[in-house]
Amino acid sequence: MEGEFCNKSCVRDPLMEFEANNNKSSLQESNTSSFKTLFNGANTILGNGVLIVPYALASGGWLSLVLLITISAASTYTSLLVKRCMEADSRIKSYTHIGDHAFGNIGRVIVSIVLYADLYMVTTGFLILEGDNLHNLFPNISLKALGIAIDGKSSFVIIVALVLLPIVLLDSLSILAYISATGVFASLLILISVLWVGLFDGIGFGHYVEEASLLNWKGIPTAISLYMLCYSAHPVLPALYISMQKKHDFSKVLLMCFAFATFVYVSMAVLGYLMFGSTVESQITLNLPTNKLSSQIAIYTTLITPLAKYALILKPVVIATEGWFSTEYKKSKGFKLTIRTILVATQVLIALSLPFFGYLMSLTGALLCATASLTIPCLCYLKISSTNSSLGLVERIFIWAIVCLSMVILISGTYTSLLDILVEITH
């Protein structure tokens, strides 16, 4: 299978087509400095997890922080395995290529399904996040269409989707790529704003220390699923690797990126839990007093970041979906309008039907992120290095231990998330 790698699949890889069309400087030119790669890597890792880690900590209790550190360490190690897979063959340019090189066409297909499903669900989460926070700011706004009353949260989800649809219809997203690069600063700004609310806006810390749970076994599956959601950047790592000038520094850059992201996640989790205890919402911004300037900064930053990233993250899914059809259809503007409108509309339907941000993100973390960030790098590396005698027994056992960890997260987290969603729907 390895000998067949990169004949047809390379040409038809939608993610690479997207990168080639939207990055003015070719990834193959290796023109990105280590500092810029560090910035881009941290931006890739930091995401919605910044808002949700306090809820995860509240679900699992203080000792669940050990699981966050464990998942961080495992994800850091598997990111290094992605780098090793890239080094195995210079023709590997994307995450799907790694699956192709390891397991042939079936590997490419599985990795593609996981990758695009992950992107689809994350962007669907953006719509729910926007709806929740806008409704929190403007609780009295609702819509009425064709005689049907639409509640506030649902109204905002629909409005946000209508605002984003024209951007999704664009074929060139280079400007949005620069806007989305503000993600690192946005995450830090949210963290600082929450800290400010706790110190100076009357919330304080320690009110919930006595009632805080040390360990909640029932909430552990939810906690580990949401912690896993924080480390779902692996599919993007190949693009960062091939864009880097000094590739021998990539391991150091990865270590610093994951260390910085973990610092932010742990800090936000502890601050949020100390401030609100078990009452913390699935998005900490929903707990903040909307009449305070620091809270408004955090909430509006939370709103702006997904708006900037939505179309960019959804773009590979758009290209993959359009790739199912012949070139004759893809040249039609009406066809593109129809496909992209249907994609956004399906996300709106999911967001309206399952407006449970925490549970839906928990399901995404368990089912998709654990697979993409832990299982796939480990299995692909084991297959690619199967002829390499330098892979020691201890390291091989360690890799299989990570695979087992990913299976535990996948099974327990998926089951718990689906059960929680079912309970919400039936009540």
Side-chain angles (χ1 to χ4, degrees), residues 6 31 51 82 133 283 297 300 341 354 366 369 374 379:
C6 220
N31 58 358
L51 303 177
V82 171
N133 281 280
Q283 305 158 51
I297 291 174
Y300 282 113
T341 302
L354 305 171
C369 298
L374 298 182
L379 294 183

Coordinates of all heavy atoms in Angstrom, one line a residue, residues 6 31 51 82 133 283 297 300 341 354 366 369 374 379:
C6 N 0.1 8.4 -2.9 CA 0.2 9.7 -3.5 C 0.1 9.7 -5.0 O 0.8 10.4 -5.7 CB 1.5 10.4 -3.1 SG 1.3 12.2 -2.8
N31 N 8.7 29.0 4.2 CA 9.1 30.4 4.4 C 8.6 30.9 5.8 O 8.6 32.1 6.0 CB 8.7 31.3 3.3 CG 7.2 31.2 3.1 OD1 6.5 30.5 3.8 ND2 6.6 32.0 2.1
L51 N -13.4 28.4 26.9 CA -14.7 28.7 27.5 C -15.2 27.5 28.3 O -16.0 27.7 29.2 CB -15.7 29.1 26.4 CG -15.3 30.3 25.5 CD1 -16.4 30.5 24.5 CD2 -15.1 31.6 26.3
V82 N 3.1 12.7 14.6 CA 2.7 13.3 13.4 C 3.9 13.8 12.6 O 4.0 13.6 11.4 CB 1.6 14.4 13.6 CG1 1.4 15.2 12.3 CG2 0.3 13.9 14.1
N133 N -24.6 33.3 23.7 CA -24.1 34.5 24.2 C -24.8 35.8 23.8 O -25.0 36.7 24.5 CB -22.6 34.6 23.8 CG -21.7 33.8 24.6 OD1 -21.3 34.1 25.7 ND2 -21.3 32.6 24.1
Q283 N -20.5 27.4 29.0 CA -19.6 28.5 28.5 C -19.5 29.5 29.6 O -20.5 30.1 30.1 CB -20.2 29.2 27.3 CG -20.5 28.3 26.1 CD -21.5 28.9 25.2 OE1 -21.4 30.0 24.7 NE2 -22.6 28.1 24.9
I297 N -16.2 42.7 27.5 CA -15.0 42.5 26.7 C -14.8 41.0 26.4 O -14.6 40.6 25.3 CB -13.7 43.0 27.4 CG1 -13.8 44.6 27.4 CG2 -12.5 42.5 26.7 CD1 -12.6 45.2 28.2
Y300 N -17.9 39.8 24.1 CA -17.8 40.3 22.7 C -16.6 39.6 22.0 O -16.6 39.4 20.8 CB -17.7 41.8 22.6 CG -19.0 42.5 22.8 CD1 -19.3 43.2 23.9 CD2 -20.0 42.3 21.9 CE1 -20.6 43.8 24.1 CE2 -21.3 42.9 22.0 CZ -21.5 43.6 23.1 OH -22.8 44.2 23.3
T341 N -25.3 26.6 0.8 CA -26.5 27.0 1.6 C -27.1 25.7 2.3 O -27.5 25.8 3.5 CB -27.6 27.5 0.7 OG1 -27.1 28.7 0.0 CG2 -28.8 27.9 1.5
L354 N -30.4 20.5 18.7 CA -29.6 20.1 19.8 C -28.8 21.3 20.3 O -27.6 21.4 20.2 CB -28.6 19.0 19.3 CG -29.2 17.8 18.7 CD1 -28.1 16.9 18.1 CD2 -30.1 17.0 19.7
A366 N -15.1 13.4 22.4 CA -15.0 12.0 22.6 C -14.9 11.2 21.3 O -14.0 10.3 21.1 CB -16.1 11.4 23.5
C369 N -12.4 14.1 18.3 CA -11.1 14.6 18.6 C -10.2 13.5 19.2 O -9.0 13.5 18.9 CB -11.3 15.7 19.7 SG -12.2 17.1 19.0
L374 N -5.4 11.3 19.0 CA -4.7 10.2 19.7 C -4.6 8.9 18.9 O -3.5 8.5 18.6 CB -5.4 10.0 21.0 CG -5.4 11.1 22.0 CD1 -6.1 10.6 23.3 CD2 -4.0 11.6 22.3
L379 N -1.7 4.8 15.5 CA -1.8 3.7 14.6 C -1.1 3.9 13.3 O -0.4 3.0 12.8 CB -3.3 3.4 14.3 CG -4.2 2.9 15.5 CD1 -5.6 2.6 15.1 CD2 -3.5 1.7 16.2

